[in-house]
Amino acid sequence: MDTPDFKPIEQLLSLLASNGKKYDFDKIKKAFLYADELHKGQMRQSGDPYISHPIAVAEIVASLGLDTDSICAAFLHDTVEDCPDKTDINKVKELFGEDVALLVDGVTKIKSINIEDKEETHIENIRKMLLAMSKDVRVIFIKLCDRLHNMRTLYVKKDEKRRITALETMHVYAPLAHRLGMQRIKQELENLALQYLDPIGYKEIKAHIEEKYGKNVNFIENLKLYVTEKLSQTNMDFSLEGRVKTVYSVYRKMYDQNKTFDEIYDFYALRIIVQTELDCYTVLGMIHEMYKSVPGRFKDYISTPKPNMYQSLHTTVIGKDGIPFEVQIRTYDMHHIAEYGIAAHWKYKSGDKASVDIDQKLSWISKLIDTETEAADSEEFMHAFKIDIFHDEIFVFTPKGDVVALPQGATLIDFAYSIHTGVGNKMVGAKINGRIAPIDTVPQNGDIVEVITSNASKGPSRDWLSIVRTSEARNKIRQWFKKEKRQENILVGRSEIDKLFARHRLICTEETKLEIVATVAKRFGMNEADDFFNAIGYGGITLSKVEMKIRDEYERNHKPQEREITVIEPTAPVAKRHKSTSGVIIDGLDGCVVKFAKCCNPLPGESIIGFITKGYGISIHKSDCPNISLAFSDENNANRFVKAEWDVSASGAHKATYESAIQIFVNNRISMLAEISVALAEMHVDIVSISTKNVSDSTILNMTISCKDISHFNSIVSKLRSIKDVIRVTRVVGAPK
Ligand code: MN
């Protein structure tokens, strides 16, 4: 047996011994030796022995102030999958106990979240990560440390791998670190990732920073001396540090806010750390006495902490030589939390106030996971994830002065629900800064929002589901519908399903339809069709989730034998052709009212059919309109179809134009709408109506346009398709009413 070599972890052990916390050193050594044994002979791409990686991760974990079990898990994190003689999780449990095993298992299960994966896999991975976090937040601490070390050593990897890893770091891990308030790790991750994502931009800004710093090399030093001298005249205990902005934060300011390098005011910053909150405000007063402050740049994150727990006073002042700089003032405790975030707060199973606090700080995770289990499709989950994690928050105030944090873009409805479920459900209006505002208004930072409720309110409206931005509000609205409106939900759900059948031209009797629904409902764990309709009605199950399943079931077990849909000759004796004032000739019927069906808007040149309505004359549909297929499947309608054709003779009184509904799917771009309207105007096409709907980076335009006939229509469509950033143009043939 080899003599154990403690050397590589000596540094770590002495660090632990000196930080005043209690550790089980034997257990830590044992974990190291076990990992060393398993990774024996394994090399990293850099040529270093593999064990150097778990050691580095353990060091970072220890520097966050985490406990023995976390450090052990850091040593062991790659032993279950990433080494030749891999161990299994039960063995880890046997040797190191349940907690370590749970942590190792959690870290192992979070596979690399390859952002080029299919969306589904990607989401599944993020979900796993959140689940692991909600069980034990240490899993994510260790994962972040693992990622940090991998980023530090990313240069050994191939170009493609670098790019993917850096992208994933920028899109998932850095925002997560930010959300958890782990500023130090976040900044390092961002800077490392930027080096690989935009090497040229990175170098350019770095050079700029060095140049600027070089020019004023004494600026920060003099500043520190001067402020130290002033503060020493008080009997406050304080410490001072100067810093320049990181490359990534300059990069973001320049690109996001379109600023030049010289417009960045907080390039230099001075951080003053004191003992008490009161000292913070005293120091602030002194700074404002010493220097002229820049208006609108003072922020009090002490009385209003950021949701990731960050607390500090920020102010920007003008130094000598007219150089502006930012001053951050905070206590030692606040500073510790600013650097390490939730990790600084974390105390395991201690049941004291800190851990209750932490549960609250992490409650957004369980809310997010709720979104997932509350059904909702993966698209929606991803949306919620992005909103809840990646977006910055704004703060608004209740009339009593309480602060409410909302994700940017949240509406007044979201605000109402975040106050209380009952407030949201009874909301009938709202005021912003004392003025009545529509409830879908997006409040601005600092607004005072008052929700107007009424006991006469009939509850939330279904439209709210598409207006709100937080998963919390959406879930609460759904819950309300689930509970209060079962009968209505069933009706809504049923009609949605009817439409779905029509849209896919699934032709069957009502009985078969119910059979199909019952089978699919079972697959969602529901025994009653009504429960299923109810879930669709309140949005617990989205249509996109059932669509494929219903079609499959239909195709597999219920598809009728092919029956060609042809026009039934009218039973009445065929009369001579009649002229029609509508431009349509109908066989066998004279002088009746003809109208064009709104569901399919038939155009001259297309094959059409007439359907005798009850009391409204004959409606003309396209022969392949889903409504016609549907009507055709009902034996009772056999005598209601009549042959119809366009009157192409010169004497036929054509209508000049016909309406047609189209849907255009475009990438969002300035002037997109203008280009589309210009193209239509050039072709002398009138827009009868238009509505738009935003879907993340794209927009769906629903338009009714007027055109002459099918060939005119086709030329309009191809013209629209030729416009840059138009992704899809489709004709809308509606569902039955
Ligand atoms: Mn690793």
Side-chain angles (χ1 to χ4, degrees), residues 704-715:
T704 305
I705 53 168
S706 66
C707 57
K708 292 195 207 71
D709 55 26
I710 185 68
S711 63
H712 185 215
F713 177 81
N714 287 337
S715 65

Side-chain angles (χ1 to χ4, degrees), residues 50 53 57 77-78 146 150:
Y50 195 90
H53 168 64
V57 176
H77 82 271
D78 278 337
D146 177 37
N150 285 334

Side-chain angles (χ1 to χ4, degrees), residues 51 200 345 516 548 588-589:
I51 191 69
I200 297 173
H345 249 293
I516 295 174
M548 279 308 290
L589 289 154

Side-chain angles (χ1 to χ4, degrees), residues 266-328:
D266 49 0
F267 179 75
Y268 295 105
L270 196 62
R271 190 173 286 151
I272 305 169
I273 304 169
V274 293
Q275 291 283 3
T276 68
E277 213 176 287
L278 184 65
D279 289 350
C280 294
Y281 291 97
T282 310
V283 170
L284 178 75
M286 292 176 69
I287 294 290
H288 280 172
E289 234 170 62
M290 282 185 254
Y291 300 98
K292 189 174 153 29
S293 63
V294 178
R297 300 271 319 168
F298 170 65
K299 291 178 203 112
D300 183 349
Y301 294 119
I302 290 182
S303 62
T304 313
K306 289 191 187 181
N308 67 10
M309 304 186 291
Y310 179 86
Q311 286 187 295
S312 211
L313 297 176
H314 288 191
T315 183
T316 303
V317 295
I318 311 282
K320 296 183 182 121
D321 322 318
I323 300 175
F325 63 97
E326 188 181 71
V327 183
Q328 303 174 352

